[in-house]
Structure formats: structure tokens, C-alpha cells
Amino acid sequence: MKKLITLIIFSFILIFSACKSGTDHQDQKATSDYETGTFGYDLEFLQQYQNTILLKNGNSMLAVAPDYQGRVMTSSANGMEGMSFGWLNYALIGSGDNAPHFNNYGGEERIWMGPEGGQFSVFFKPGVSFSFDNWQVPAPIDSEPFDLVNSNDTLAVFKRDLNLLNYSNFEFNLRVNRTISLLNENTVSKLIGMSINQDIDWVGYTTENTITNTGEKAWSKETGLLSIWILGQFISSPDNTVIVPFIPGSEEELGQIVNDTYFGKVANDRLAISDSLIFFKADGNQRGKIGLSPSRAKNLLGSYDSAKNVLTLMFYNKPKNHDGYVNSMWELQEQPFGGDVINSYNDGPLDDGSQLGPFFELEASSPAATLKSGRSLTHINTTIHMSGSESSLNELMIKVFGTGIEDIKQALGK
């Protein structure tokens, strides 16, 4: 199973970043045209420090940062004055500094590469111990820009050539192509399987992420493989629940339903499992992470904030046939291609009370890329935010997840 960072190691990351906490807006200009929490406010903030591309189609808007690897920083379903859905680390962005090991700028959809740990890791140099002091997110997917190829009102295209060395001393030469596209109503309706009610505000976008082996050597399991890893950081709240459908069946046949021991086992009052759904409390009050293997995961996960009446959906292309999923556990692994395909992380305070967020994450990964020279692998990720009346969202959730709002509330004792 994919284990990204152990509890102690991740605590070090948060300690380094706690003084740059994402809720401090002191670097924002004294007067803004928009209220805190709106898309317009966040767009103005980003434009002070970064070249920020605005994609829009009516009231659907995205803020995209080329210097942050073509990252979708945040979005709105209701124009400039609409709710801003992405979590931003205001202080780190405003400082202009590079943090050691990892620059957690935030943003609701970014591209990374796996694996993070193990004998094929691209986050550790060959031969070093798997400790925090030796862990480093590769600069091309952390602090360096992607090249903007072209853009228009609803589309932005990026590329970047990368050289990554893994723990087993194999060098990957690759090109990353990333295209971000705003979706129209017809496409969103097809994805959710029903027409969108008129009282629902929505924004949807797809990212198509392709890696191509530009080197002369083929990528093999013997020397290590890469995967495309998409992560989104969103604003948590006390009434927010992550919803993950899974493939039912016996553990003897399909393995465990959910891996919930990334940072210590998730407490029973924060995780509930029904016949076909997993409910995970994403309130930003206690660190925890869950993951599903390819034998259990479907091509969808999401979240619902019952106080704000916001439903978030993440779809991705999950192939039927694959060569395994990379394992990111920080150790020499017995099963380096036995990792998870989807994950969700809930942020929380450290023992000293400091905290990086609060935020929560939705994540999806491609299979391990067994690529000959010149061949490519593509991972497609789609994010949709919807806000509106409880009755309309309830109808939509029953269609998408097979359960309604009251069932979600009762699952975790709300």
C-alpha cells in the first residue's frame, strides 16, 4: 500500500511550514475589491506575486499558475464574488521564499510524480537513509515553472522536460504535457448522469497529464517506474465529509477495503464504511489519511460540506489493465508496485498546537508507467464543484453515490 510520509516525518514538514500558515492574509494588499474567501480576493492576491492565468466560461472561473507547474490554484462557480474552493498558503506565496524540502503553496489541483519512497523513489538520492533530512521534492515538480505553450479563455497548455534520478540510480528523461480545460454543461451532465438543476452553481475542469519517455532506455520494473500523481488541496470545515465509493467483495478476494493507518489508525468516529461507500471526516481537526488499492477503488471520489452546501467530485481515468501502482512507503519495499490508486488526507494540529492548514486533500494516481523510448502514458483528472439547494444536491448525490445527505450526516454522527 502507498504510504507517503510517516507521522513523525510529516510532523517535521508541518513544523517547518507552521510559521507560514495558509490562513494568514497579512501580505494581501490593504484594500481588496472582494471579501476574504471569494475567488476575486484570491485572484487579486495571486496576481500580486505570480503570473496568474484566468480561465472563465460565464461564472465558471479558474486561477492557474504557470510558475507552480501549471497548477489550478482555485476556482469559482459564481464569478469573482463566488466562493473560492482551493486552499492557498498565503504566507508562503507572499514571502517569495523557497522552503526546505517542500514548498506547499496549496492549490486545488497539481501534478506530482511517484514514487515518493522505496528503492525506486525520486525523492531520495541513491544510498541515503529514508529520513526527513534526506527527503526532497524534485524542484521541477515543486518550485520550478512549467512552460506555457498556449492559452485562451477556457484552456491552458503547459509542457516541461524533466530529468529525475531514482534511488536505484536510474535516470528518467521525460517530457510532461499538461492541458487544463474548463468544461461545458453538457460534458458535466454526462459525467454525473443527469441534467444540472438550474438552482445549482457549478464549475468543472479536466486536466490531461501525459508523460513521455524521451530517453534512450526503456522504463522497467527492474530499474523502477514513475507514475502521474494528482493532488488537490481544499478548504476543510467541521461539516465536511469525504465520500469514496468502493468495489464490494471479500477481503480474501480483493484485499482490505481501505488503508487507514498512514499516520496512525483513523479513529472510529472519523471513518465509517457502508456496503459500498467510505465516509471520512475532513474537518481539518485531526491528521489522518486513507487509501484504496486498484482492486477496491472506483473512478470517483468526492466530498460534501453540509454547512456550505458544496459538493466536490473528482473523476479520473482508471484503466482495467495496468502494471501495478507505485508504493511510496519510506523503506526498501517487498511490493514496490503494490500501492494505492486514490487517497484522501485530512489535516490537523501538531502536539504543540501549530498547523499548516487546515485543509483536506483528494488524490488520484496513474498506474506505474512501463514505457519504451518515445512512448507515453496519460492520466486524466476531472474536478467539479457544485453549490446550491440541499434538495437539488441531495438528488445529485443519490444519482452519483447512491446515498443522500441524511445518510452522510448519520454515517459520522452529525
Side-chain angles (χ1 to χ4, degrees):
M1 294 297 163
K2 182 184 288 183
K3 294 197 174 185
L4 309 182
I5 310 173
T6 64
L7 176 60
I8 295 175
I9 294 169
F10 194 72
S11 297
F12 278 116
I13 300 170
L14 295 183
I15 290 170
F16 269 115
S17 303
C19 64
K20 301 177 179 293
S21 179
T23 57
D24 184 358
H25 299 211
Q26 63 183 357
D27 294 309
Q28 173 64 301
K29 62 186 181 182
T31 302
S32 174
D33 295 331
Y34 302 97
E35 294 183 3
T36 304
T38 64
F39 178 83
Y41 181 94
D42 282 349
L43 180 64
E44 284 186 348
F45 173 83
L46 290 167
Q47 288 173 334
Q48 291 181 80
Y49 303 104
Q50 289 292 327
N51 171 30
T52 306
I53 298 171
L54 174 63
L55 303 184
K56 60 180 180 178
N57 182 12
N59 285 330
S60 296
M61 296 184 175
L62 302 183
V64 180
D67 285 354
Y68 295 158
Q69 306 83 49
R71 187 178 313 205
V72 178
M73 298 302 295
T74 190
S75 63
S76 171
N78 199 20
M80 289 291 184
E81 297 183 353
M83 189 185 312
S84 187
F85 293 117
W87 178 81
L88 304 182
N89 192 337
Y90 298 98
L92 180 58
I93 294 169
S95 73
D97 296 334
N98 278 336
H101 305 287
F102 168 44
N103 288 281
N104 189 11
Y105 301 114
E108 67 171 74
E109 213 253 40
R110 71 180 188 268
I111 183 171
W112 268 27
M113 297 288 158
E116 185 174 327
Q119 55 266 47
F120 301 130
S121 167
V122 291
F123 290 66
F124 290 91
K125 293 181 180 180
V128 303
S129 62
F130 294 110
S131 66
F132 175 76
D133 287 342
N134 295 323
W135 176 74
Q136 180 63 55
V137 181
I141 56 171
D142 178 48
S143 58
E144 296 180 357
F146 276 24
D147 299 322
L148 177 64
V149 178
N150 62 68
S151 65
N152 57 36
D153 284 348
T154 62
L155 177 123
V157 181
F158 300 92
K159 70 175 182 179
R160 174 67 196 253
D161 291 323
L162 280 70
N163 298 94
L164 300 175
L165 185 70
N166 74 8
Y167 190 85
S168 295
N169 211 36
F170 182 83
E171 183 178 7
F172 295 93
N173 298 288
L174 66 147
R175 171 165 290 179
V176 177
N177 294 95
R178 175 169 164 84
T179 299
I180 304 168
S181 307
L182 272 172
L183 300 180
N184 58 38
E185 184 173 351
N186 183 54
T187 301
V188 173
S189 295
K190 287 182 178 179
L191 275 171
I192 63 177
M194 63 181 291
S195 299
I196 304 173
N197 288 347
Q198 292 302 307
D199 68 340
I200 290 181
D201 296 319
W202 61 272
V203 57
Y205 60 92
T206 288
T207 68
E208 184 173 308
N209 307 275
T210 300
I211 56 174
T212 302
N213 179 357
T214 58
E216 297 180 356
K217 297 180 180 179
W219 301 351
S220 69
K221 287 188 172 181
E222 288 69 34
T223 53
L225 300 174
L226 298 176
S227 71
I228 300 169
W229 185 1
I230 301 296
L231 303 92
Q233 293 183 314
F234 307 98
I235 300 169
S236 57
S237 86
D239 302 288
N240 191 54
T241 301
V242 168
I243 310 159
V244 187
F246 67 89
I247 299 170
S250 68
E251 292 198 4
E252 291 75 16
E253 179 184 4
L254 300 178
Q256 65 179 342
I257 293 174
V258 59
N259 174 16
D260 67 340
T261 59
Y262 282 94
F263 305 118
K265 187 171 178 61
V266 175
N268 291 336
D269 63 347
R270 307 185 69 83
L271 182 68
I273 302 174
S274 71
D275 292 339
S276 60
L277 293 172
I278 297 164
F279 304 97
F280 178 46
K281 186 173 289 187
D283 58 359
N285 289 332
Q286 187 176 113
R287 279 172 295 143
K289 186 160 189 170
I290 61 172
L292 274 71
S293 71
S295 63
R296 289 291 190 180
K298 293 189 174 183
N299 70 332
L300 165 70
L301 67 162
S303 66
Y304 177 62
D305 189 325
S306 60
K308 298 178 182 177
N309 282 338
V310 172
L311 173 67
T312 296
L313 303 173
M314 179 185 284
F315 296 88
Y316 68 100
N317 63 320
K318 179 175 181 269
K320 292 183 179 179
N321 301 311
H322 57 82
D323 290 316
Y325 285 77
V326 301
N327 185 344
S328 286
M329 186 174 179
W330 286 26
E331 64 182 25
L332 296 178
Q333 305 156 355
E334 294 183 2
Q335 296 183 323
F337 302 103
D340 290 336
V341 55
I342 57 174
N343 296 92
S344 178
Y345 167 75
N346 182 54
D347 189 39
L350 298 171
D351 291 340
D352 65 2
S354 63
Q355 187 169 356
L356 178 57
F359 58 82
F360 74 99
E361 294 183 345
L362 301 177
E363 308 173 12
S365 294
S366 77
T370 307
L371 298 179
K372 296 180 180 179
S373 179
R375 300 300 297 269
S376 301
L377 178 143
T378 297
H379 178 87
I380 299 172
N381 218 72
T382 297
T383 302
I384 302 169
H385 301 289
M386 295 182 162
S387 62
S389 70
E390 185 173 291
S391 60
S392 292
L393 291 178
N394 186 66
E395 179 184 3
L396 199 154
M397 279 188 280
I398 291 173
K399 179 66 176 180
V400 174
F401 292 115
T403 195
I405 290 173
E406 288 305 315
D407 292 332
I408 295 171
K409 292 179 179 179
Q410 292 176 13
L412 293 174
K414 291 183 180 179

